[in-house]
């Protein structure tokens, strides 16, 4: 398989998508943050000193998705037509799952935007609650599904477990 971000001399380059057709594209990613029971309850009961943690994490996830091309060198700036974020409580694990869906109509996919949204949202939770629990763990961050473009529809094998 040829790497598309390297030129003939093996120097980095941005992929030229100017001749690709614009199609509707969507990507969904998710990740999990696990923490102490004390931190989990403080978030759930909105008893943190820094404010509404989950609502702030959603705003951060949206901002992160929108600014992906500023942080990942070879990502194209995209016109995102929609970003949706959902947070699910996993009480028995003292964890939250953040799922981010990003959409565009364009010449390249939105997987990185969905993944960036998840990471920034989870990091925001960590930042807002680190005074209570510095042992929080971000994990299971992955692409769930993508559609649109030449490569077509992708569904993670992990989807069977959801």
């Amino acid at each position: 398989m040829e790497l598309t971000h390297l030129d003939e001399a093996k120097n980095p380059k941005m992929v030229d998508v100017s001749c690709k057709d614009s199609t509707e594209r969507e990507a969904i990613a998710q990740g999990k943050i696990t923490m102490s029971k004390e931190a989990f309850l403080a978030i759930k009961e909105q008893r943190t000193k820094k404010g509404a943690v989950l609502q702030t994490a959603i705003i951060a996830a949206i901002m992160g998705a929108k600014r992906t091309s500023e942080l990942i060198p070879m990502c194209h700036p995209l016109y995102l037509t929609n970003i949706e974020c959902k947070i699910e409580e996993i009480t028995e694990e003292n964890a939250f799952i953040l799922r981010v869906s990003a959409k565009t109509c364009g010449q390249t996919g939105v997987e990185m935007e969905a993944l960036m949204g998840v990471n920034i949202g989870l990091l925001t939770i960590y930042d807002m609650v680190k005074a209570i629990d510095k042992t929080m763990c971000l994990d299971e961050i992955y692409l769930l599904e993508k559609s649109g473009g030449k490569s077509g529809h992708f569904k993670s094998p992990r989807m069977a477990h959801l």
Side-chain angles (χ1 to χ4, degrees):
M1 172 178 266
E2 185 179 322
L3 297 176
T4 57
H5 286 88
L6 296 176
D7 66 14
E8 309 79 39
K10 305 286 188 229
N11 291 313
K13 70 170 187 169
M14 188 177 213
V15 175
D16 184 356
V17 297
S18 57
C19 293
K20 290 175 73 176
D21 291 331
S22 285
T23 62
E24 287 185 29
R25 297 163 185 266
E26 179 177 12
I28 305 166
Q30 79 173 29
K32 181 166 77 170
I33 185 166
T34 308
M35 61 197 64
S36 68
K37 185 170 186 116
E38 179 187 7
F40 180 79
L41 291 175
I43 292 170
K44 189 173 167 178
E45 297 166 4
Q46 295 191 4
R47 293 186 286 105
T48 62
K49 290 182 181 178
K50 291 189 176 183
V53 175
L54 300 180
Q55 293 84 344
T56 305
I58 288 170
I59 294 167
I62 292 167
M63 290 175 66
K66 289 168 59 173
R67 300 191 75 172
T68 299
S69 67
E70 295 175 34
L71 298 169
I72 299 178
M74 302 306 170
C75 280
H76 293 83
L78 298 181
Y79 176 75
L80 297 175
T81 58
N82 191 37
I83 303 167
E84 290 186 16
C85 304
K86 293 189 169 101
I87 297 179
E88 178 185 346
E89 296 175 10
I90 310 295
T91 306
E92 59 277 3
E93 296 180 35
N94 296 318
F96 294 96
I97 291 177
L98 171 60
R99 186 171 292 156
V100 175
S101 167
K103 289 183 182 179
T104 191
C105 184
Q107 297 163 300
T108 189
V110 290
E111 297 96 309
M112 298 310 297
E113 286 72 14
L115 287 162
M116 180 67 80
V118 168
N119 279 280
I120 298 301
L122 293 177
L123 286 169
T124 298
I125 294 171
Y126 187 98
D127 179 56
M128 293 183 76
V129 188
K130 67 183 182 261
I132 300 171
D133 180 9
K134 290 177 183 39
T135 68
M136 289 177 281
C137 180
L138 283 65
D139 63 1
E140 297 183 36
I141 298 167
Y142 59 93
L143 180 68
L144 278 171
E145 188 171 4
K146 77 162 234 40
S147 61
K150 194 167 103 175
S151 64
H153 191 235
F154 165 81
K155 243 183 180 171
S156 170
R158 294 173 179 239
M159 290 283 286
H161 299 35
L162 299 177

